[in-house]
Amino acid sequence: MDLDDFSLAEAAKLLSSGTLTAVELTTRCLQRISRVDEELHAFITIDEQGALQQAEHADEMRKNGEVGKLCGIPLSIKDLIATRNLRTTCGSKILEHYVPPYDATVIRRLREEGAVIVGKTTMDEFAMGSTSETCAFGVPRNPWKKGYVAGGSSGGSAVSVAAFESFASLGSDTGGSIRQPAALCGIVGMKPTYGRVSRYGLTAFASSLDQIGPFTRTVEDCAIVLQAISGYDPLDSTSVNRPVPDYSACLVEGLDGVTIGIPKEYFTSSLNKEVEKEVRLGIELLRSRGAKIVDVSLPHTEYCVAVYYIVAPSEASSNLARYDGIHYGFRDPNSQNLIETYKNSRSNGFGAEVKRRIILGTYSLSSGYYDAYYRKASQVRTLIVRDYHRAFETCDILASPVVPTAAWPLGENSEDPLAVYLSDILTLSANLAGVPGISVPVGFTEAGLPVGLQLQGPHFSEEVLLKVGFNVEKGLSLPKRTLYV
Ligand code: GLN
């Protein structure tokens, strides 16, 4: 039996029929990790012993009665979601030895289902980046082509799923960090509606934008994981108290009655031609399955990079003030007084990109500049939100590329932060507006690099996104085996 032939849903069936135990499945994943991860760097921490204990527990749970689909399924978790007694570094030296005394709500929910957490994945430091190259503990590699980026900031999560080191992963998406690495690694990644999934225990980057979501190999698996993590949580004041639908029930073939808008601003001349071709073929597929395709406009899209890179760093500068060498995290051992401790702990603990964001954010929030930057950005953010409302008057969801290009060689833009920021142009708006988005694989470039199709919808339209994504997947049946089988 070959691990690579199974989705999470299929593995769940093997577990429930007794063909496989959770311990066996987990052992297989751990073997895969030890074989490929030295090269792929999907993980910062691999919890072999803990995973096997959880798997034994899952097998016990199954013996004792009815269990959910995630019981005994090996998962990986981005290293900024708190896991009790398991190191959570946020990809930063400043939290190198931080071991949370509690579980994030999403982790608690996964554990209640009997899921097995095999380890914590590599990511850009504090989720700031688009290639995972700012991680202090190794850089994940694209499993489709040697020497190429995995995307970011949740690069390790995407790689671990694409390379069959885990059956699904949780990441966080503040400006594209789930959808973009999913697209670059040829898997499914969803950013749910802001408020759909609890952020309690997610290390805050930009609190008004952050959202946790799943990485999976199929849309059906995405529905299963989303089901497990969604729902109201009194511990997160922004989580929304609204019933969670049955996400698997919406996975049906045929798109009659669905209107899909194509935002013209997402198809500019800077869009790579091969990416455009695959995305347009994907849109034609949706048409052939019954969807009505209409043109729409999101006229303020061009401002989203400028707005995001004021709003996100501003919130980050405030959120990251807690890493001061006093409360917790790295403390510079050679400082003589309080001010030196602050200064040296932060200077030596944070990497260059995080410092750049803190400086940008502190500047745009400071008196005299607040009106010109932060307030102005907030106003333009409202215009971006209105663009979506208007577009959704004429269509149910939007279809577009996820990233303007396929994955690029490691190191290519590392000296040019602006070039990297610009690559986020197609994903940032969804976070600014709080709407959900999913990336589903739609094809490959000639060089063999995956291309994703992005679907965005109104608040709480996850069911429609899953249904349309499911139709893309069923209509294409793309290869899933990377170089690391
Ligand atoms: N690439 C964006 C940034 O660097 C988004 C990151 C994210 O979604 N966490 O901020």
Side-chain angles (χ1 to χ4, degrees):
M1 187 157 40
D2 194 340
L3 201 59
D4 298 15
D5 293 326
F6 301 115
S7 65
L8 185 160
E10 286 157 349
K13 278 190 201 129
L14 294 176
L15 290 169
S16 84
S17 66
T19 316
L20 205 60
T21 65
V23 170
E24 282 163 354
L25 190 63
T26 303
T27 305
R28 300 286 286 269
C29 276
L30 291 170
Q31 284 167 346
R32 168 62 63 94
I33 292 171
S34 71
R35 187 157 64 75
V36 302
D37 210 62
E38 214 158 295
E39 209 178 318
L40 287 174
H41 293 292
F43 288 91
I44 293 176
T45 304
I46 300 160
D47 185 20
E48 225 168 280
Q49 223 188 340
L52 289 170
Q53 275 167 7
Q54 294 168 71
E56 278 168 23
H57 176 64
D59 284 330
E60 281 302 309
M61 275 171 83
R62 190 175 294 281
K63 266 192 224 139
N64 297 334
E66 277 288 291
V67 288
K69 288 188 181 147
L70 291 181
C71 183
I73 299 285
L75 306 177
S76 67
I77 305 291
K78 186 177 184 180
D79 207 20
L80 80 176
I81 299 176
T83 41
R84 189 162 183 266
N85 294 339
L86 184 60
R87 188 168 77 120
T88 299
T89 69
C90 295
S92 180
K93 255 174 54 188
I94 213 160
L95 288 178
E96 184 170 1
H97 304 294
Y98 174 62
V99 178
Y102 72 109
D103 275 332
T105 296
V106 289
I107 301 297
R108 180 176 56 73
R109 292 198 160 137
L110 294 178
R111 291 202 204 280
E112 280 166 8
E113 286 225 12
V116 174
I117 294 168
V118 294
K120 307 294 293 286
T121 57
T122 34
M123 52 176 285
D124 280 300
E125 186 177 3
F126 284 100
M128 297 173 189
S130 307
T131 61
S132 305
E133 287 167 293
T134 71
C135 185
F137 309 106
V139 176
R141 313 287 153 139
N142 195 304
W144 292 95
K145 196 168 167 67
K146 297 204 179 196
Y148 279 67
V149 297
S153 64
S154 322
S157 284
V159 173
S160 76
V161 175
F164 290 82
E165 295 170 277
S166 67
F167 279 84
S169 190
L170 294 186
S172 66
D173 190 312
T174 304
S177 281
I178 293 175
R179 290 159 289 156
Q180 187 257 31
L184 301 190
C185 290
I187 58 169
V188 177
M190 178 185 258
K191 179 198 98 68
T193 306
Y194 185 77
R196 176 77 294 183
V197 177
S198 167
R199 291 182 297 110
Y200 177 72
L202 167 69
T203 305
F205 163 9
S207 312
S208 78
L209 307 165
D210 300 338
Q211 187 63 188
I212 294 175
F215 285 92
T216 55
R217 286 193 289 271
T218 68
V219 176
E220 183 186 16
D221 292 355
C222 181
I224 294 171
V225 180
L226 182 67
Q227 194 79 46
I229 61 173
S230 291
Y232 175 62
D233 177 15
L235 297 174
D236 172 3
S237 61
T238 61
S239 93
V240 176
N241 195 353
R242 179 181 166 124
V244 180
D246 179 353
Y247 290 120
S248 296
C250 60
L251 304 177
V252 288
E253 297 207 43
L255 293 173
D256 287 340
V258 179
T259 304
I260 299 179
I262 312 301
K264 67 168 193 263
E265 292 79 8
Y266 282 55
F267 291 83
T268 62
S269 56
S270 59
L271 183 60
N272 173 283
K273 291 290 160 252
E274 285 188 77
V275 170
E276 174 163 5
K277 183 175 147 232
E278 297 303 321
V279 168
R280 291 213 187 267
L281 285 172
I283 293 168
E284 280 319 304
L285 170 69
L286 297 176
R287 195 198 304 273
S288 74
R289 294 196 145 225
K292 184 174 161 204
I293 308 294
V294 297
D295 289 327
V296 296
S297 174
L298 297 168
H300 296 94
T301 301
E302 64 173 306
Y303 302 113
C304 74
V305 175
V307 170
Y308 173 88
Y309 279 96
I310 289 174
V311 172
S314 297
E315 294 184 17
S317 71
S318 163
N319 277 326
L320 271 61
R322 69 192 71 169
Y323 309 104
D324 56 6
I326 300 292
H327 290 94
Y328 54 95
F330 171 74
R331 178 181 300 174
D332 179 70
N334 303 318
S335 299
Q336 303 301 322
N337 56 45
L338 183 65
I339 298 297
E340 262 188 31
T341 301
Y342 286 157
K343 229 159 97 182
N344 296 338
S345 302
R346 286 168 70 80
S347 300
N348 300 329
F350 288 134
E353 184 59 31
V354 172
K355 286 184 208 160
R356 182 180 293 123
R357 306 276 180 121
I358 292 174
I359 292 168
L360 279 172
T362 307
Y363 182 81
S364 50
L365 288 178
S366 54
S367 81
Y369 297 101
Y370 181 92
D371 286 339
Y373 294 102
Y374 187 77
R375 188 187 303 279
K376 188 54 78 189
S378 302
Q379 288 165 336
V380 181
R381 181 176 185 178
T382 304
L383 298 177
I384 290 169
V385 175
R386 282 194 200 145
D387 279 357
Y388 278 103
H389 288 317
R390 260 187 222 121
F392 292 134
E393 282 167 12
T394 56
C395 64
D396 299 306
I397 64 161
L398 304 168
S400 72
V402 186
V403 201
T405 62
W408 54 92
L410 283 153
E412 191 170 83
N413 286 325
S414 50
E415 299 306 315
D416 184 357
L418 198 58
V420 180
Y421 296 176
L422 283 170
S423 73
D424 296 333
I425 188 156
L426 307 177
T427 48
L428 300 175
S429 300
N431 301 76
L432 291 166
V435 301
I438 189 171
S439 170
V440 287
V442 77
F444 288 85
T445 64
E446 269 175 31
L449 287 161
V451 177
L453 176 73
Q454 175 170 232
L455 307 167
Q456 301 177 77
H459 295 122
F460 299 100
S461 64
E462 282 81 1
E463 287 168 283
V464 191
L465 299 184
L466 289 165
K467 175 178 168 169
V468 176
F470 183 71
N471 275 272
V472 174
E473 189 175 84
K474 289 290 164 207
L476 289 170
S477 49
L478 295 168
K480 294 203 184 297
R481 292 183 173 218
T482 66
L483 301 176
Y484 296 83
V485 288

